[in-house]
């Protein structure tokens, strides 16, 4: 088993499996891409582009600046797409078409900050050119009109400010006349202030007059600069270019759609294609692989190679049949033609060892049909017919199989599975049903594998079904109960000896169990009568004074405090109290 799969859970989304599934179904997404290519070319032929005219207009803005990021041009494009411009163009053309419908047939594009491109589609080239000219003229007139209106509004605002200044100047003149009429009683500071105010108002009025004259002129650079720089002209029809463009777009869309469908199908259908997955789900190793039936011209130069590979696999399976007395069957899952040819090849190689028969239990009798087509001399019998000395059973494990009949085809089986044919649930069902019938799977022959699949399809935990375990002798009969016990004792002794060599002996103690006193029905009297209370005397040595000992002093430990490094304060007192006792003991 592959280490990543055996060591942990399978990934939720396997990219390698997805890529292999997409590569295996390349016919689907290549077909969708080809259909998209044909559909795009057909659309270009059946629905050709309408006649188109293009005009370019240079637009000068009054507030234009080098730092403009295209805001003014986007505003002009938006103004072009208004009903006012469309209605003005239709009036020039004398058309009765509604502005809303006419707006759908033209568009504006800002090439630079000051160049506007107008594209118009019509029923003919002449109509398209006329409509483009009308749109350009209408837009230029509207742009100049808006610029002049802004200039006129600015001039009127300046004139209004000049009138207010003139009214105020008249009031100041009146105040000056009144103040000068007082003669010697006139206030000189007041007159000076009035003279200063009159001079300022006079200068302001002069400035307003000049500004109003300039604004009244308008923006001559806007009116003169905004014009058509590229006259409306009809675009030439590039038929081949249009077909190529539409076909390329259709091919890209079809390819994307096909890849998306295949990817979604590979994730949702859950059909294993890798050797590692198939061996894991079936619980048996992949012992060989065969290509599927060749299609197209490849059958001409790869037929001999496919036949040689099939015969090589048949030789491997013949060795399995010869080295074990139990019959081996071939069960197919999605590859009836391959298993039929494989069975005939095996029967042909076994013909030298005795009479060989192929038991054909396939629903479509593929073995019998193939034998008739190829003129093979191999005997093909039905499931209920008598077979020869050697037989090769051929059956199926597809949905609808009679599981109880598989044991009559062989005691062991080799599964011939087509990659990507069955989903995970059915592979589990096949493995479980064969296990319930007591038919071990000694190997899997994978049909139509992916040539770039590098995964390992070998299971290292299935010795009882792997090819390396088929050399062991098959026990004739189960051992007797006495022999079982002897073997069990011998096995226990071997395990104990192995444990003793690998592990140190551990001392075991008996568990402490509570002691339960026996139930006493008749209490026994004491051996000697107890003395009467108060008559027992205490020996003299028990009433002796208790011997005193010197207290145990704890070891000195350094502490961060200096006062703790000295002798304890009670040292002298303890020694003084113990001196009499020491002298008494010595004497």
């Amino acid at each position: 088993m592959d280490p990543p799969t055996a060591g942990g859970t399978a990934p939720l989304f396997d990219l390698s499996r997805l890529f292999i599934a997409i590569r295996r179904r390349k016919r689907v997404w290549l077909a969708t891409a080809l259909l998209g290519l044909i559909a795009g070319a057909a659309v270009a032929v059946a629905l050709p582009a309408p006649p188109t005219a293009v005009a370019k207009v240079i637009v000068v803005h009054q507030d234009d600046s080098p730092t403009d990021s295209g805001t003014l041009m986007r505003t002009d494009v938006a103004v072009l797409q208004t009903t006012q411009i469309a209605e003005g163009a239709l009036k020039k053309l004398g058309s009765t078409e509604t502005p809303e419908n006419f707006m759908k047939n033209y568009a504006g594009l800002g090439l630079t900050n000051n160049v506007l491109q107008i594209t118009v589609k019509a029923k003919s080239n002449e109509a398209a050119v006329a409509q483009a000219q009308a749109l350009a003229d209408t837009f230029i007139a509207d742009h100049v009109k808006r610029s002049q209106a802004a200039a006129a509004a600015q001039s009127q605002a300046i004139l209004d400010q000049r009138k207010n200044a003139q009214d105020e100047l008249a009031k100041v003149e009146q105040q000056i006349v009144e103040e000068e009429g007082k003669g010697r009683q006139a206030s000189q500071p007041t007159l000076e202030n009035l003279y200063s105010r009159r001079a300022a108002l006079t200068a302001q009025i002069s400035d307003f007059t000049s500004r109003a004259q300039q604004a009244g002129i308008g923006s001559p650079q806007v009116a003169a600069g905004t014009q058509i720089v590229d006259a409306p002209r009809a675009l030439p029809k590039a038929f081949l270019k249009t077909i190529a463009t539409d076909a390329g777009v259709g091919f890209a869309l079809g390819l994307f759609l096909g890849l998306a469908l295949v990817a979604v199908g590979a994730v949702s259908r859950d059909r294993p294609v890798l050797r590692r997955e198939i061996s894991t789900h079936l619980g048996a190793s992949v012992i060989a692989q065969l290509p599927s039936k060749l299609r197209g011209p490849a059958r001409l130069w790869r037929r001999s190679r496919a036949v040689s590979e099939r015969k090589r696999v048949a030789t491997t399976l013949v060795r399995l049949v010869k080295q074990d007395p139990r019959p081996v069957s071939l069960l197919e899952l999605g590859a009836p033609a391959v298993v039929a040819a494989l069975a005939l090849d095996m029967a042909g190689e076994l013909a030298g060892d005795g009479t060989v028969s192929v038991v054909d239990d396939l629903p479509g009798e593929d073995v019998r049909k193939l034998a008739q087509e190829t003129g093979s001399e191999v005997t093909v019998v039905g499931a209920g017919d008598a077979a020869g000395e050697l037989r090769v059973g051929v059956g199926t494990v597809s949905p609808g199989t009679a599981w109880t009949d598989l044991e009559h085809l062989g005691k062991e089986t080799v599964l011939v599975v087509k990659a990507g044919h069955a989903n995970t649930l059915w592979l589990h069902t096949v493995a479980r049903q064969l296990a319930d019938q007591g038919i071990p799977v000694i190997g899997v022959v994978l049909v139509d594998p992916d040539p770039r699949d590098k995964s390992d399809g070998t299971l290292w935990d299935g010795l009882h079904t792997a090819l390396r375990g088929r050399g062991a002798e098959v026990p004739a009969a189960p051992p007797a109960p006495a022999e079982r016990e002897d073997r069990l004792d011998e096995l226990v002794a071997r395990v104990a000896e192995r444990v003793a060599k690998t592990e140190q002996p551990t001392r075991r103690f008996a568990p402490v169990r509570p002691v339960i006193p026996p139930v006493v029905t008749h209490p026994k009297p004491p051996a000697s009568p107890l003395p009467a209370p108060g008559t027992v005397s205490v020996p003299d040595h028990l009433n002796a004074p208790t011997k005193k000992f010197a207290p145990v002093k704890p070891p000195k430990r350094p502490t961060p405090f200096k006062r703790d490094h000295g002798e304890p304060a009670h040292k002298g007192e303890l020694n003084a109290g113990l001196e009499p006792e020491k002298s008494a003991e010595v004497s």
Side-chain angles (χ1 to χ4, degrees), residues 79-111:
V79 170
L80 181 66
Q81 296 287 341
T82 57
T83 56
Q84 180 179 356
I85 302 297
E87 186 176 0
L90 291 174
K91 288 182 178 179
K92 284 183 173 294
L93 296 171
S95 175
T96 58
E97 186 179 2
T98 59
E100 290 77 10
N101 294 335
F102 181 57
M103 289 169 55
K104 299 177 182 179
N105 297 327
Y106 72 88
L109 177 63
L111 301 179

Side-chain angles (χ1 to χ4, degrees), residues 409-470:
L409 298 176
K411 299 300 181 182
E412 294 180 342
T413 185
V414 175
L415 292 177
V416 181
V417 182
K418 184 177 181 180
H421 177 73
N423 55 16
T424 302
L425 179 60
W426 186 249
L427 293 179
H428 290 177
T429 302
V430 171
R432 184 175 64 252
Q433 291 290 347
L434 293 177
D436 292 343
Q437 298 299 323
I439 304 175
V441 182
I442 61 177
V444 177
V445 177
L446 189 61
V447 178
D448 193 18
D450 187 80
R452 300 184 182 180
D453 180 16
K454 305 301 181 181
S455 62
D456 186 13
T458 305
L459 295 183
W460 294 99
D461 53 355
L463 184 60
H464 61 289
T465 58
L467 294 180
R468 63 183 184 278
R470 289 179 57 80

Side-chain angles (χ1 to χ4, degrees), residues 25-251:
R25 302 193 65 189
K26 59 183 179 181
R27 293 186 182 91
V28 176
W29 48 267
L30 286 178
T32 56
L34 182 60
L35 289 177
L37 178 68
I38 296 174
V43 168
V45 173
L47 301 175
T52 305
V54 174
K56 294 180 181 179
V57 178
I58 185 169
V59 183
V60 178
H61 304 95
Q62 187 175 0
D63 300 330
D64 200 357
S65 64
T67 59
D68 181 42
S69 59
T71 305
L72 298 176
M73 180 53 62
R74 287 195 295 270
T75 302
D76 294 335
V77 171
V79 170
L80 181 66
Q81 296 287 341
T82 57
T83 56
Q84 180 179 356
I85 302 297
E87 186 176 0
L90 291 174
K91 288 182 178 179
K92 284 183 173 294
L93 296 171
S95 175
T96 58
E97 186 179 2
T98 59
E100 290 77 10
N101 294 335
F102 181 57
M103 289 169 55
K104 299 177 182 179
N105 297 327
Y106 72 88
L109 177 63
L111 301 179
T112 63
N113 289 347
N114 296 100
V115 178
L116 175 64
Q117 177 178 298
I118 302 175
T119 306
V120 182
K121 296 179 180 180
K123 296 180 180 181
S124 61
N125 293 333
E126 294 76 9
V129 170
Q131 292 177 4
Q133 183 67 40
L135 279 172
D137 294 340
T138 304
F139 174 77
I140 292 174
D142 180 77
H143 182 72
V144 173
K145 180 181 178 181
R146 285 186 285 108
S147 176
Q148 292 178 353
Q154 184 179 5
S155 176
Q156 184 63 34
I158 295 174
L159 292 177
D160 293 340
Q161 293 179 359
R162 188 186 66 174
K163 183 177 183 305
N164 295 334
Q166 290 175 351
D167 294 342
E168 186 176 358
L169 179 60
K171 294 180 180 179
V172 171
E173 291 287 351
Q174 182 66 27
Q175 293 176 1
I176 291 175
V177 170
E178 292 178 356
E179 192 67 27
E180 289 178 350
K182 294 181 181 179
R184 295 181 178 179
Q185 296 180 357
S187 176
Q188 293 299 325
T190 301
L191 288 174
E192 291 179 359
N193 291 335
L194 292 174
Y195 291 154
S196 299
R197 181 59 179 165
R198 183 177 62 181
L201 289 174
T202 303
Q204 189 174 6
I205 291 171
S206 176
D207 181 60
F208 283 155
T209 302
S210 61
R211 289 173 57 188
Q213 291 177 356
Q214 293 178 0
I217 298 174
S219 300
Q221 67 274 13
V222 173
T226 303
Q227 58 183 345
I228 299 175
V229 294
D230 192 359
R233 57 186 177 83
L235 294 179
K237 292 183 179 181
F239 185 71
L240 296 179
K241 183 179 179 180
T242 304
I243 291 179
T245 303
D246 294 351
V249 173
F251 179 81

Side-chain angles (χ1 to χ4, degrees), residues 475-493:
E483 295 180 0
R484 289 183 181 179
E485 294 181 359
D486 296 341
R487 292 183 180 180
L488 183 60
D489 295 340
E490 183 181 356
L491 179 61
V492 172

Side-chain angles (χ1 to χ4, degrees), residues 554-560 564-565:
K556 295 181 180 181
R557 297 180 180 179
T559 60
D564 294 336
H565 293 285

Side-chain angles (χ1 to χ4, degrees), residues 393-414:
V394 182
T396 181
V397 288
S398 300
T401 301
W403 302 104
T404 55
D405 295 342
L406 296 180
E407 60 181 356
H408 301 290
L409 298 176
K411 299 300 181 182
E412 294 180 342
T413 185
V414 175

Side-chain angles (χ1 to χ4, degrees), residues 28 37 143 148 158 218 254 286 322 336 345 373-374 451 474 490 504 509 512 578:
V28 176
L37 178 68
H143 182 72
Q148 292 178 353
I158 295 174
V286 177
K322 287 183 178 181
D345 292 341
E373 292 176 0
T374 57
V474 181
E490 183 181 356
Q504 296 295 333
F509 298 91
V512 179
L578 295 176

